[in-house]
Protein backbone atom coordinates (compact mmCIF):
# COMPACT_ATOMS: atom_id res chain seq x y z
CA UNK A 1 0.00 0.00 0.00
CA UNK A 2 3.07 2.27 0.28
CA UNK A 3 6.73 2.24 -0.71
CA UNK A 4 9.67 4.41 0.37
CA UNK A 5 13.33 4.30 -0.57
CA UNK A 6 16.28 5.07 1.70
CA UNK A 7 20.02 4.55 1.75
CA UNK A 8 19.81 2.61 5.04
CA UNK A 9 16.91 1.14 7.00
CA UNK A 10 17.44 0.13 10.63
CA UNK A 11 15.08 -2.39 12.25
CA UNK A 12 14.63 -1.85 15.99
CA UNK A 13 15.02 1.39 17.94
CA UNK A 14 16.82 0.14 21.02
CA UNK A 15 20.13 1.80 21.82
CA UNK A 16 21.87 -0.24 19.09
CA UNK A 17 19.39 0.88 16.46
CA UNK A 18 19.48 4.48 17.67
CA UNK A 19 23.29 4.57 17.54
CA UNK A 20 23.37 3.01 14.07
CA UNK A 21 20.75 5.45 12.79
CA UNK A 22 22.49 8.50 14.23
CA UNK A 23 25.80 7.46 12.67
CA UNK A 24 24.27 6.99 9.22
CA UNK A 25 22.12 10.13 9.31
CA UNK A 26 24.97 12.32 10.54
CA UNK A 27 27.09 10.99 7.67
CA UNK A 28 24.50 12.39 5.28
CA UNK A 29 22.64 9.20 4.39
CA UNK A 30 18.86 9.10 3.95
CA UNK A 31 18.12 6.86 6.94
CA UNK A 32 14.94 5.30 8.34
CA UNK A 33 14.43 3.76 11.78
CA UNK A 34 11.59 1.26 12.26
CA UNK A 35 10.23 0.55 15.74
CA UNK A 36 7.28 -1.70 16.71
CA UNK A 37 6.48 0.32 19.86
CA UNK A 38 6.00 4.08 20.21
CA UNK A 39 9.07 4.56 22.42
CA UNK A 40 12.72 4.73 21.43
CA UNK A 41 15.34 2.99 23.56
CA UNK A 42 14.22 -0.65 23.63
CA UNK A 43 15.01 -2.52 26.83
CA UNK A 44 16.61 0.60 28.33
CA UNK A 45 13.30 2.48 28.21
CA UNK A 46 10.33 0.34 27.17
CA UNK A 47 11.91 -2.52 29.09
CA UNK A 48 12.74 -0.41 32.20
CA UNK A 49 16.32 -1.73 32.39
CA UNK A 50 17.50 1.69 33.48
CA UNK A 51 21.16 1.10 34.29
CA UNK A 52 23.76 2.41 31.88
CA UNK A 53 26.54 -0.05 32.68
CA UNK A 54 30.25 0.90 32.62
CA UNK A 55 32.13 2.37 29.69
CA UNK A 56 35.41 1.62 31.51
CA UNK A 57 37.52 -1.42 32.34
CA UNK A 58 37.20 -1.21 36.12
CA UNK A 59 40.80 -0.03 36.46
CA UNK A 60 40.19 3.58 35.52
CA UNK A 61 40.51 3.39 31.73
CA UNK A 62 37.64 4.28 29.42
CA UNK A 63 37.11 1.57 26.79
CA UNK A 64 33.93 2.68 24.98
CA UNK A 65 33.61 6.13 23.39
CA UNK A 66 31.60 7.70 20.60
CA UNK A 67 27.81 7.59 20.44
CA UNK A 68 27.69 5.15 23.36
CA UNK A 69 29.18 7.85 25.58
CA UNK A 70 26.90 10.50 24.07
CA UNK A 71 23.84 8.38 24.87
CA UNK A 72 24.96 7.91 28.48
CA UNK A 73 24.84 11.67 28.95
CA UNK A 74 21.58 11.98 26.99
CA UNK A 75 19.99 9.52 29.43
CA UNK A 76 20.42 12.20 32.12
CA UNK A 77 19.47 15.26 30.07
CA UNK A 78 15.83 15.44 31.21
CA UNK A 79 15.93 13.39 34.39
CA UNK A 80 17.80 12.23 37.48
CA UNK A 81 21.09 10.38 37.73
CA UNK A 82 24.74 11.26 38.08
CA UNK A 83 28.01 10.40 36.38
CA UNK A 84 30.93 10.06 38.82
CA UNK A 85 32.59 13.48 38.87
CA UNK A 86 36.06 12.19 37.97
CA UNK A 87 34.75 11.00 34.59
CA UNK A 88 33.43 14.49 33.77
CA UNK A 89 36.85 16.14 33.89
CA UNK A 90 38.26 17.13 30.52
CA UNK A 91 41.78 16.23 31.59
CA UNK A 92 41.48 13.06 33.59
CA UNK A 93 43.98 11.59 35.94
CA UNK A 94 45.25 8.35 34.43
CA UNK A 95 43.89 6.05 35.57
CA UNK A 96 40.67 7.55 36.97
CA UNK A 97 40.07 6.52 40.56
CA UNK A 98 36.72 5.95 42.19
CA UNK A 99 33.44 4.51 40.87
CA UNK A 100 33.12 3.13 37.36
CA UNK A 101 31.88 5.23 34.44
CA UNK A 102 28.17 4.38 34.61
CA UNK A 103 24.82 5.72 35.82
CA UNK A 104 21.17 4.94 36.50
CA UNK A 105 18.56 7.00 34.66
CA UNK A 106 14.84 7.63 34.20
CA UNK A 107 13.55 5.62 31.20
CA UNK A 108 10.94 8.25 30.28
CA UNK A 109 13.51 11.04 30.42
CA UNK A 110 15.82 9.04 28.14
CA UNK A 111 13.03 8.65 25.57
CA UNK A 112 12.60 12.43 25.37
CA UNK A 113 16.31 12.93 24.74
CA UNK A 114 16.44 10.18 22.11
CA UNK A 115 13.49 11.69 20.24
CA UNK A 116 15.30 15.01 20.14
CA UNK A 117 18.64 13.57 18.96
CA UNK A 118 17.11 11.58 16.11
CA UNK A 119 14.89 14.43 14.93
CA UNK A 120 17.86 16.81 15.01
CA UNK A 121 19.77 14.33 12.81
CA UNK A 122 16.97 14.27 10.23
CA UNK A 123 16.06 10.60 10.69
CA UNK A 124 12.84 9.25 9.19
CA UNK A 125 11.26 7.62 12.25
CA UNK A 126 8.60 4.93 11.78
CA UNK A 127 6.96 4.26 15.17
CA UNK A 128 4.19 1.72 15.77
CA UNK A 129 5.48 -0.08 12.69
CA UNK A 130 6.11 -3.82 12.68
CA UNK A 131 8.70 -5.48 10.47
CA UNK A 132 6.88 -8.34 8.74
CA UNK A 133 9.46 -9.80 6.37
CA UNK A 134 12.74 -8.82 4.74
CA UNK A 135 12.39 -7.75 1.12
CA UNK A 136 14.71 -10.02 -0.85
CA UNK A 137 16.25 -9.97 -4.32
CA UNK A 138 17.97 -12.84 -6.18
CA UNK A 139 21.26 -14.02 -4.72
CA UNK A 140 19.95 -13.81 -1.12
CA UNK A 141 20.31 -10.04 -1.28
CA UNK A 142 18.22 -8.06 1.21
CA UNK A 143 16.87 -4.87 -0.36
CA UNK A 144 14.58 -3.55 2.37
CA UNK A 145 11.86 -4.45 4.82
CA UNK A 146 8.19 -5.24 4.46
CA UNK A 147 6.41 -3.42 7.28
CA UNK A 148 2.90 -2.99 8.65
CA UNK A 149 1.30 -0.08 10.48
CA UNK A 150 -1.97 1.86 10.55
CA UNK A 151 -1.54 2.64 6.84
CA UNK A 152 -1.42 -1.07 5.97
CA UNK A 153 1.49 -3.05 4.55
CA UNK A 154 4.34 -1.38 2.69
CA UNK A 155 7.99 -1.70 1.72
CA UNK A 156 10.90 0.40 2.95
CA UNK A 157 13.66 -0.17 0.41
CA UNK A 158 17.34 0.42 1.16
CA UNK A 159 20.81 -0.36 -0.15
CA UNK A 160 21.83 -1.63 3.30
CA UNK A 161 19.72 -2.93 6.19
CA UNK A 162 20.75 -3.12 9.85
CA UNK A 163 19.12 -5.70 12.14
CA UNK A 164 18.99 -4.16 15.61
CA UNK A 165 15.90 -6.08 16.73
CA UNK A 166 17.75 -7.73 19.62
CA UNK A 167 16.46 -11.12 18.44
CA UNK A 168 17.98 -11.26 14.93
CA UNK A 169 14.43 -11.30 13.54
CA UNK A 170 15.42 -9.82 10.18
CA UNK A 171 18.50 -12.02 9.75
CA UNK A 172 16.57 -15.14 10.72
CA UNK A 173 13.71 -14.46 8.33
CA UNK A 174 16.18 -13.62 5.57
CA UNK A 175 17.66 -17.10 5.93
CA UNK A 176 20.86 -16.30 7.81
CA UNK A 177 22.00 -19.06 10.21
CA UNK A 178 21.28 -18.09 13.83
CA UNK A 179 21.93 -19.44 17.31
CA UNK A 180 19.52 -19.38 20.27
CA UNK A 181 20.02 -19.18 24.03
CA UNK A 182 17.58 -19.62 26.91
CA UNK A 183 16.55 -17.18 29.62
CA UNK A 184 15.82 -17.18 33.32
CA UNK A 185 12.43 -15.76 34.21
CA UNK A 186 12.69 -12.23 35.60
CA UNK A 187 10.89 -8.92 35.69
CA UNK A 188 12.00 -5.37 36.52
CA UNK A 189 9.50 -2.64 37.34
CA UNK A 190 9.43 0.83 38.91
CA UNK A 191 7.37 1.56 41.99
CA UNK A 192 6.14 4.37 44.20
CA UNK A 193 7.09 3.89 47.84
CA UNK A 194 6.12 6.30 50.60
CA UNK A 195 9.08 5.18 52.72
CA UNK A 196 11.50 5.71 49.82
CA UNK A 197 10.02 9.14 49.00
CA UNK A 198 10.49 10.21 52.63
CA UNK A 199 14.08 9.01 52.62
CA UNK A 200 14.78 10.98 49.42
CA UNK A 201 13.17 14.12 50.89
CA UNK A 202 15.42 13.88 53.94
CA UNK A 203 18.57 13.15 51.94
CA UNK A 204 21.02 16.01 51.34
CA UNK A 205 22.14 14.38 48.08
CA UNK A 206 20.41 14.12 44.72
CA UNK A 207 18.85 10.69 45.19
CA UNK A 208 16.32 9.50 42.62
CA UNK A 209 12.62 9.22 43.40
CA UNK A 210 12.54 6.11 41.23
CA UNK A 211 12.57 2.85 43.14
CA UNK A 212 13.45 -0.34 41.28
CA UNK A 213 11.67 -3.64 41.88
CA UNK A 214 13.03 -6.95 40.65
CA UNK A 215 11.54 -10.43 40.85
CA UNK A 216 12.69 -13.74 39.41
CA UNK A 217 16.16 -14.88 38.46
CA UNK A 218 19.24 -12.74 37.98
CA UNK A 219 21.76 -13.29 35.16
CA UNK A 220 23.10 -16.35 37.04
CA UNK A 221 19.68 -17.81 37.76
CA UNK A 222 19.59 -16.94 41.46
CA UNK A 223 15.97 -16.62 42.71
CA UNK A 224 14.57 -18.20 39.55
CA UNK A 225 11.17 -19.70 40.50
CA UNK A 226 11.42 -23.40 41.22
CA UNK A 227 10.00 -25.61 38.52
CA UNK A 228 9.70 -22.88 35.91
CA UNK A 229 11.57 -23.76 32.71
CA UNK A 230 14.01 -21.43 31.00
CA UNK A 231 12.75 -20.15 27.65
CA UNK A 232 14.37 -19.04 24.40
CA UNK A 233 11.88 -16.23 23.77
CA UNK A 234 11.75 -16.86 20.03
CA UNK A 235 8.19 -18.23 19.91
CA UNK A 236 5.01 -16.28 20.56
CA UNK A 237 3.71 -18.61 23.25
CA UNK A 238 7.03 -18.41 25.13
CA UNK A 239 6.92 -14.62 25.16
CA UNK A 240 3.37 -14.60 26.51
CA UNK A 241 4.18 -17.14 29.22
CA UNK A 242 7.36 -15.27 30.23
CA UNK A 243 5.52 -11.96 30.60
CA UNK A 244 2.46 -13.32 32.43
CA UNK A 245 4.52 -15.45 34.83
CA UNK A 246 6.73 -12.46 35.64
CA UNK A 247 3.68 -10.38 36.48
CA UNK A 248 2.33 -13.22 38.63
CA UNK A 249 5.54 -13.10 40.67
CA UNK A 250 5.15 -9.35 41.00
CA UNK A 251 1.57 -9.75 42.26
CA UNK A 252 2.75 -12.19 44.90
CA UNK A 253 5.46 -9.79 46.01
CA UNK A 254 3.06 -6.85 46.36
CA UNK A 255 0.45 -8.96 48.09
CA UNK A 256 3.01 -9.78 50.78
CA UNK A 257 4.66 -6.35 51.06
CA UNK A 258 1.41 -4.41 51.14
CA UNK A 259 0.07 -6.75 53.81
CA UNK A 260 3.13 -5.99 55.96
CA UNK A 261 2.23 -2.28 55.83
CA UNK A 262 -1.30 -2.87 57.08
CA UNK A 263 -4.69 -1.77 55.70
CA UNK A 264 -3.16 1.22 53.87
CA UNK A 265 -0.37 -0.84 52.32
CA UNK A 266 -1.63 -0.49 48.76
CA UNK A 267 -1.49 3.32 49.16
CA UNK A 268 2.05 3.28 50.49
CA UNK A 269 3.77 0.95 48.04
CA UNK A 270 2.61 0.07 44.54
CA UNK A 271 3.90 -0.33 40.95
CA UNK A 272 4.06 2.83 38.87
CA UNK A 273 4.96 1.30 35.52
CA UNK A 274 5.58 -2.15 34.11
CA UNK A 275 7.82 -3.11 31.19
CA UNK A 276 6.02 -2.92 27.86
CA UNK A 277 8.28 -5.55 26.33
CA UNK A 278 9.61 -8.92 27.47
CA UNK A 279 12.87 -8.46 29.37
CA UNK A 280 14.83 -11.31 27.79
CA UNK A 281 18.59 -11.24 28.18
CA UNK A 282 19.67 -13.39 25.23
CA UNK A 283 17.31 -14.94 22.69
CA UNK A 284 18.65 -15.37 19.15
CA UNK A 285 21.77 -13.96 17.48
CA UNK A 286 23.44 -14.32 14.12
CA UNK A 287 26.15 -16.85 13.39
CA UNK A 288 28.47 -14.28 11.91
CA UNK A 289 31.47 -14.37 9.60
CA UNK A 290 33.44 -14.09 12.87
CA UNK A 291 32.39 -14.52 16.50
CA UNK A 292 33.40 -12.75 19.70
CA UNK A 293 34.29 -15.76 21.82
CA UNK A 294 34.31 -16.45 25.55
CA UNK A 295 37.93 -17.57 25.69
CA UNK A 296 39.51 -14.50 24.11
CA UNK A 297 39.31 -11.57 26.56
CA UNK A 298 42.31 -9.23 26.51
CA UNK A 299 43.36 -10.69 23.17
CA UNK A 300 44.30 -8.52 20.19
CA UNK A 301 42.31 -9.32 17.04
CA UNK A 302 43.46 -7.96 13.67
CA UNK A 303 39.86 -7.30 12.61
CA UNK A 304 38.75 -5.63 15.87
CA UNK A 305 36.33 -2.71 15.54
CA UNK A 306 35.59 -2.02 19.21
CA UNK A 307 36.13 -2.87 22.85
CA UNK A 308 33.68 -4.44 25.32
CA UNK A 309 34.68 -4.27 29.01
CA UNK A 310 33.22 -6.72 31.50
CA UNK A 311 30.45 -4.93 33.40
CA UNK A 312 30.48 -7.59 36.13
CA UNK A 313 34.08 -7.28 37.30
CA UNK A 314 37.22 -5.23 36.62
CA UNK A 315 39.76 -6.38 34.09
CA UNK A 316 38.52 -8.41 31.12
CA UNK A 317 38.00 -6.59 27.82
CA UNK A 318 36.91 -8.26 24.60
CA UNK A 319 37.76 -6.99 21.14
CA UNK A 320 34.84 -7.12 18.70
CA UNK A 321 35.79 -8.72 15.37
CA UNK A 322 34.33 -6.95 12.34
CA UNK A 323 32.83 -10.17 10.97
CA UNK A 324 30.71 -10.56 14.12
CA UNK A 325 28.39 -7.91 12.67
CA UNK A 326 28.13 -9.60 9.26
CA UNK A 327 25.66 -12.51 8.94
CA UNK A 328 26.48 -15.55 6.88
CA UNK A 329 24.36 -16.37 3.89
CA UNK A 330 22.67 -12.98 3.38
CA UNK A 331 24.02 -10.01 1.44
CA UNK A 332 23.37 -6.37 2.30
CA UNK A 333 22.68 -6.97 6.00
CA UNK A 334 24.41 -6.08 9.28
CA UNK A 335 23.54 -7.02 12.86
CA UNK A 336 24.05 -4.81 15.93
CA UNK A 337 23.27 -4.99 19.62
CA UNK A 338 22.68 -8.19 21.53
CA UNK A 339 22.06 -10.16 18.29
CA UNK A 340 25.55 -9.73 16.83
CA UNK A 341 27.76 -12.83 16.87
CA UNK A 342 29.08 -13.50 20.39
CA UNK A 343 29.06 -16.71 22.42
CA UNK A 344 28.89 -17.74 26.08
CA UNK A 345 30.39 -15.21 28.48
CA UNK A 346 31.18 -12.89 25.57
CA UNK A 347 27.46 -12.76 24.73
CA UNK A 348 26.66 -12.10 28.38
CA UNK A 349 28.99 -9.09 28.64
CA UNK A 350 27.97 -7.66 25.25
CA UNK A 351 24.18 -7.82 25.57
CA UNK A 352 23.95 -4.63 27.70
CA UNK A 353 23.57 -0.95 26.79
CA UNK A 354 27.15 0.29 26.12
CA UNK A 355 28.23 -2.60 23.83
CA UNK A 356 24.86 -2.40 22.07
CA UNK A 357 25.41 1.28 21.33
CA UNK A 358 29.02 0.61 20.32
CA UNK A 359 28.12 -2.14 17.84
CA UNK A 360 25.26 0.03 16.61
CA UNK A 361 27.65 2.84 15.74
CA UNK A 362 30.09 0.42 14.10
CA UNK A 363 27.22 -1.03 12.04
CA UNK A 364 26.30 2.54 11.08
CA UNK A 365 29.88 3.25 9.98
CA UNK A 366 29.92 0.02 7.96
CA UNK A 367 26.55 0.77 6.36
CA UNK A 368 27.77 4.24 5.42
CA UNK A 369 30.87 2.78 3.76
CA UNK A 370 28.68 0.21 2.04
CA UNK A 371 26.48 2.88 0.49
CA UNK A 372 29.38 5.15 -0.40
CA UNK A 373 31.39 2.34 -2.02
CA UNK A 374 28.37 0.75 -3.67
CA UNK A 375 29.18 -2.69 -2.25
CA UNK A 376 27.40 -4.87 0.29
CA UNK A 377 28.97 -5.06 3.80
CA UNK A 378 30.52 -8.49 3.39
CA UNK A 379 32.81 -7.05 0.69
CA UNK A 380 34.26 -4.40 3.00
CA UNK A 381 37.48 -4.86 4.92
CA UNK A 382 37.86 -4.29 8.67
CA UNK A 383 40.73 -1.88 7.93
CA UNK A 384 38.30 0.54 6.26
CA UNK A 385 36.12 0.60 9.37
CA UNK A 386 39.17 0.92 11.64
CA UNK A 387 40.30 4.01 9.73
CA UNK A 388 36.95 5.70 10.41
CA UNK A 389 37.10 4.70 14.07
CA UNK A 390 40.59 6.18 14.38
CA UNK A 391 39.33 9.44 12.95
CA UNK A 392 36.61 9.51 15.60
CA UNK A 393 39.04 8.75 18.44
CA UNK A 394 37.42 5.37 19.17
CA UNK A 395 39.95 2.69 20.25
CA UNK A 396 39.55 -0.86 19.00
CA UNK A 397 42.58 -2.61 20.57
CA UNK A 398 43.05 -3.07 24.31
CA UNK A 399 46.61 -1.78 24.03
CA UNK A 400 45.23 1.61 23.02
CA UNK A 401 43.64 2.27 26.40
CA UNK A 402 46.71 1.30 28.49
CA UNK A 403 44.88 -1.10 30.75
CA UNK A 404 46.26 -1.24 34.28
CA UNK A 405 46.10 -4.19 36.64
CA UNK A 406 46.67 -2.10 39.78
CA UNK A 407 43.74 -2.97 42.00
CA UNK A 408 44.12 0.26 43.96
CA UNK A 409 43.14 2.22 40.87
CA UNK A 410 39.78 0.65 40.33
CA UNK A 411 37.38 2.99 38.52
Amino acid sequence: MFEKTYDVVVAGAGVAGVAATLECARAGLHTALVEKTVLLGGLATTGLVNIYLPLCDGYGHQAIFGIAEELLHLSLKYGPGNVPEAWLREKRQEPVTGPRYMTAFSPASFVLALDEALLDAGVAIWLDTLVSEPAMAPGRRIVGLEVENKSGRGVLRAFTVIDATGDADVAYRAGAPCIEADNWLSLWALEASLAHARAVAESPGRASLLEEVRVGGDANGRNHPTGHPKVHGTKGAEVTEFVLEGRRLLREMYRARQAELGPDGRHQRFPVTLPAMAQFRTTRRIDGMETMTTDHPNTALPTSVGLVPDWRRPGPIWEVPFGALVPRGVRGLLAAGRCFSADGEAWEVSRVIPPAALTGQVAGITATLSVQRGVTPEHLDAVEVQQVLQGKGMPFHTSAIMQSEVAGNKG
Side-chain angles (χ1 to χ4, degrees):
M1 298 178 68
F2 59 87
E3 185 173 318
K4 301 285 185 181
T5 300
Y6 300 93
D7 295 318
V8 176
V9 172
V10 180
V15 291
V18 167
T21 304
L22 286 173
E23 179 62 37
C24 292
R26 289 169 176 174
L29 300 189
H30 190 29
T31 309
L33 178 61
V34 184
E35 169 54 38
K36 65 182 178 180
T37 74
V38 297
L39 300 175
L40 304 174
L43 276 169
T45 58
T46 311
L48 306 184
V49 183
N50 62 323
I51 300 178
Y52 211 112
L53 288 166
L55 303 180
C56 65
D57 66 351
Y59 289 110
H61 299 98
Q62 186 173 344
I64 300 180
F65 294 78
I67 291 176
E69 184 175 17
E70 176 186 349
L71 295 183
L72 181 149
H73 292 282
L74 282 181
S75 75
L76 307 178
K77 186 172 183 179
Y78 294 109
N82 300 296
V83 173
E85 194 268 336
W87 292 104
L88 297 175
R89 298 179 192 139
E90 229 177 278
K91 293 184 178 179
R92 297 173 186 159
Q93 173 191 355
E94 287 293 341
V96 173
T97 58
R100 296 185 74 171
Y101 194 0
M102 61 184 292
T103 191
F105 57 86
S106 159
S109 302
F110 197 10
V111 170
L112 298 181
L114 293 177
D115 286 348
E116 185 176 45
L118 287 167
L119 291 171
D120 286 349
V123 174
I125 304 173
W126 292 73
L127 298 178
D128 194 28
T129 299
L130 184 68
V131 175
S132 304
E133 295 288 341
M136 303 297 293
R140 303 189 77 177
R141 167 77 157 97
I142 189 168
V143 292
L145 300 173
E146 293 184 20
V147 300
E148 292 190 40
N149 60 22
K150 295 294 185 184
S151 299
R153 176 170 283 209
V155 179
L156 306 182
R157 300 198 178 277
F159 187 83
T160 304
V161 174
I162 298 174
D163 185 341
T165 61
D167 307 311
D169 288 335
V170 175
Y172 176 75
R173 294 186 182 190
C178 294
I179 293 171
E180 295 186 356
D182 48 21
N183 292 264
W184 303 107
L185 175 67
S186 67
L187 183 146
W188 291 23
L190 296 174
E191 73 170 13
S193 163
L194 182 58
H196 179 71
R198 284 172 174 159
V200 170
E202 295 168 0
S203 170
R206 292 179 291 174
S208 174
L209 282 166
L210 293 173
E211 179 78 342
E212 295 175 356
V213 179
R214 303 178 191 180
V215 294
D218 63 13
N220 296 310
R222 289 184 293 261
N223 300 318
H224 185 261
T226 303
H228 195 282
K230 296 174 73 177
V231 297
H232 287 90
T234 54
K235 295 180 175 61
E238 289 180 333
V239 176
T240 299
E241 181 183 5
F242 184 93
V243 170
L244 291 179
E245 183 64 13
R247 295 208 287 252
R248 183 191 68 79
L249 293 177
L250 197 64
R251 283 198 303 275
E252 287 184 355
M253 187 207 76
Y254 275 111
R255 192 176 296 122
R257 292 187 177 180
Q258 289 173 351
E260 290 173 0
L261 295 169
D264 291 331
R266 64 187 177 87
H267 298 287
Q268 296 182 38
R269 189 172 191 174
F270 54 88
V272 170
T273 186
L274 302 177
M277 64 185 295
Q279 297 166 318
F280 294 118
R281 293 181 172 94
T282 50
T283 54
R284 180 172 54 217
R285 53 91 168 169
I286 66 166
D287 182 13
M289 301 296 291
E290 297 178 272
T291 297
M292 193 175 101
T293 60
T294 294
D295 56 354
H296 286 140
N298 303 317
T299 301
L301 302 177
T303 60
S304 176
V305 289
L307 302 176
V308 174
D310 194 330
W311 53 269
R312 304 163 304 174
R313 60 184 182 272
I317 297 180
W318 279 260
E319 295 193 0
V320 181
F322 172 65
L325 279 65
V326 184
R328 299 178 187 273
V330 178
R331 299 168 54 228
L333 181 65
L334 291 159
R338 71 179 188 189
C339 63
F340 86 98
S341 194
D343 69 15
E345 290 290 289
W347 195 357
E348 175 66 17
V349 300
S350 63
R351 66 176 174 79
V352 297
I353 295 176
L358 167 70
T359 55
Q361 184 173 8
V362 174
I365 290 169
T366 307
T368 300
L369 290 170
S370 171
V371 172
Q372 292 172 343
R373 305 275 200 278
V375 298
T376 50
E378 67 275 10
H379 293 298
L380 293 170
D381 192 281
V383 173
E384 297 177 84
V385 178
Q386 290 171 343
Q387 289 171 344
V388 177
L389 291 168
Q390 282 181 322
K392 294 177 178 290
M394 296 174 62
F396 46 86
H397 289 309
T398 53
S399 58
I401 66 167
M402 298 171 59
Q403 185 181 4
S404 168
E405 295 298 330
V406 181
N409 285 321
K410 288 185 180 180

